[in-house]
Amino acid sequence: MIYTLTLNPSIDYVVHLDSFIGGITNRTTGEEYYIGGKGINVSCILAELEISSTALGFTAGFTGEAIENGLRGLGIRADFIRLKDGISRINIKIKADQESEINGQGPHISEEEFERLLLKTDCLEDGDTIVLAGSIPKTVSDNAYERILQRLEGKRIRIVVDATRQLLRNCLPYRPFLIKPNRQELSELFQREVTDAQETERCARELMELGARNVLVSLGGEGAVLFAEDGRVYQSGVVKEKVLNTVGSGDSMVAGFLAGYLQQEDYGYALKLGTACGNATAFSMGLAKKEQIYHILSRL
């Protein structure tokens, strides 16, 4: 079973306007709602690829109910901790002449409630996969991911970490199966500019020396490169189409890579399917759908 963790899920409210002017009432030309959060995005793409997953995390209030119901409607098992107070956050995405975002803070998560999440992770068994994705809410301690990984020590769990900076670095001693930085995140992590292939590989190799088994680096319009534990370097290009949306593209790549690896245990195919999923989401208003994913896969 694949488990995805989203500590601070959301409802993403996307509004379209011809232009946005501060200080007056603006009228939308269109709007959409999506359930959001990096781990949730991974689960949604896995569902499109007909792979089961269980979504873990915290929800609260009427927005939390909407998130859980939305996941169940997609055939995804929602096993969240229901918080007593507050509401799951609403993120506003403004698409006008410029794109802007207003992200909510989310509900308070107590130590007692986090302990309940740790208890849920006890159900993971040898051969399972857990995806730790996104930042940690302010009300949770900075070592939240480490505490989860400590709890899983001794089990043969496939660990995927999609996080940044020190949060990612702190997970490396637990030998994650996959991490997915981009060049900007590598620059932030190593505090030096990473702009070319040589420096990208140098950073990826350092991350592998620190514990990462496979390092998948997203290169944006240049595709992606995988530094694999089998010693090989795999590369994938991209399909050229108009980019409509970048939100969730990296999460889609993680989901596709996992699905491809579980299906064939082949890193080359995993990278190809991951790239197809990332591209398909970038060319969609929301997350990619199955038909579009496999159409793009056939063109890579």
Side-chain angles (χ1 to χ4, degrees):
M1 173 61 72
I2 298 176
Y3 295 84
T4 64
L5 177 67
T6 309
L7 292 175
N8 203 7
S10 65
I11 298 289
D12 289 348
Y13 176 42
V14 183
V15 295
H16 301 267
L17 308 95
D18 291 328
S19 62
F20 178 77
I21 303 172
I24 68 168
T25 298
N26 294 266
R27 304 290 182 184
T28 69
T29 59
E31 51 202 57
E32 302 105 34
Y33 303 85
Y34 302 102
I35 50 177
K38 292 179 70 64
I40 284 175
N41 291 341
V42 172
S43 281
C44 288
I45 294 296
L46 287 172
E48 290 293 327
L49 299 174
E50 300 181 355
I51 293 180
S52 299
S53 68
T54 296
L56 302 174
F58 299 94
T59 57
F62 73 98
T63 46
E65 291 178 8
I67 290 167
E68 294 189 35
N69 290 335
L71 286 171
R72 293 189 185 104
L74 295 172
I76 298 166
R77 182 169 177 257
D79 191 15
F80 290 89
I81 304 292
R82 291 285 294 161
L83 302 174
K84 297 177 182 178
D85 301 316
I87 64 169
S88 293
R89 61 187 177 146
I90 300 173
N91 295 335
I92 304 171
K93 315 290 184 181
I94 301 171
K95 295 183 180 290
D97 42 352
Q98 290 184 323
E99 291 194 13
S100 303
E101 297 186 11
I102 303 173
N103 287 350
Q105 182 172 329
H108 181 271
I109 302 168
S110 69
E111 175 61 23
E112 178 184 354
E113 287 160 333
F114 188 79
E115 287 286 346
R116 290 175 60 198
L117 175 67
L118 291 177
L119 287 172
K120 280 189 181 292
T121 65
D122 290 344
C123 70
L124 271 71
E125 300 176 345
D126 289 351
D128 285 342
T129 298
I130 187 166
V131 180
L132 307 178
S135 59
I136 292 176
K138 292 180 181 179
T139 60
V140 175
S141 62
D142 292 341
N143 66 347
Y145 283 175
E146 294 168 82
R147 292 174 66 186
I148 292 169
L149 296 179
Q150 287 169 2
R151 193 142 185 135
L152 296 174
E153 277 193 298
K155 295 182 180 181
R156 294 193 297 275
I157 305 295
R158 193 176 292 109
I159 299 163
V160 178
V161 181
D162 188 4
T164 59
R165 301 188 184 186
Q166 197 61 36
L167 185 58
L168 171 61
R169 187 181 287 273
N170 291 345
C171 293
L172 295 178
Y174 298 93
R175 300 280 295 150
F177 169 74
L178 180 71
I179 62 173
K180 190 206 65 62
N182 56 36
R183 277 181 174 163
Q184 179 182 343
E185 290 165 347
L186 289 176
S187 297
E188 293 171 349
L189 190 61
F190 290 98
Q191 297 183 329
R192 62 179 187 260
E193 283 297 312
V194 180
T195 57
D196 58 30
Q198 291 76 18
E199 191 62 22
T200 298
E201 178 164 5
R202 189 174 296 113
C203 290
R205 297 297 182 194
E206 286 188 47
L207 291 171
M208 295 176 82
E209 289 174 6
L210 291 170
R213 292 168 55 191
N214 297 285
V215 181
L216 173 57
V217 183
S218 172
L219 304 176
E222 301 174 43
V225 58
L226 173 71
F227 301 91
E229 63 181 334
D230 64 4
R232 296 178 61 185
V233 178
Y234 300 82
Q235 291 186 301
S236 177
V238 295
V239 171
K240 299 296 184 181
E241 287 188 22
K242 182 180 179 180
V243 174
L244 300 176
N245 164 52
T246 57
V247 177
S249 182
D251 310 325
S252 299
M253 177 178 280
V254 169
F257 183 93
L258 269 179
Y261 184 79
L262 292 174
Q263 289 166 353
Q264 298 193 13
E265 294 192 359
D266 177 89
Y267 286 125
Y269 177 73
L271 176 61
K272 194 173 179 180
L273 183 55
T275 301
C277 290
N279 280 196
T281 288
F283 304 150
S284 306
M285 292 306 297
L287 294 176
K289 298 300 181 184
K290 178 181 178 180
E291 296 76 14
Q292 189 178 18
I293 291 170
Y294 284 107
H295 173 67
I296 291 175
L297 180 64
S298 69
R299 298 168 60 190
L300 286 172

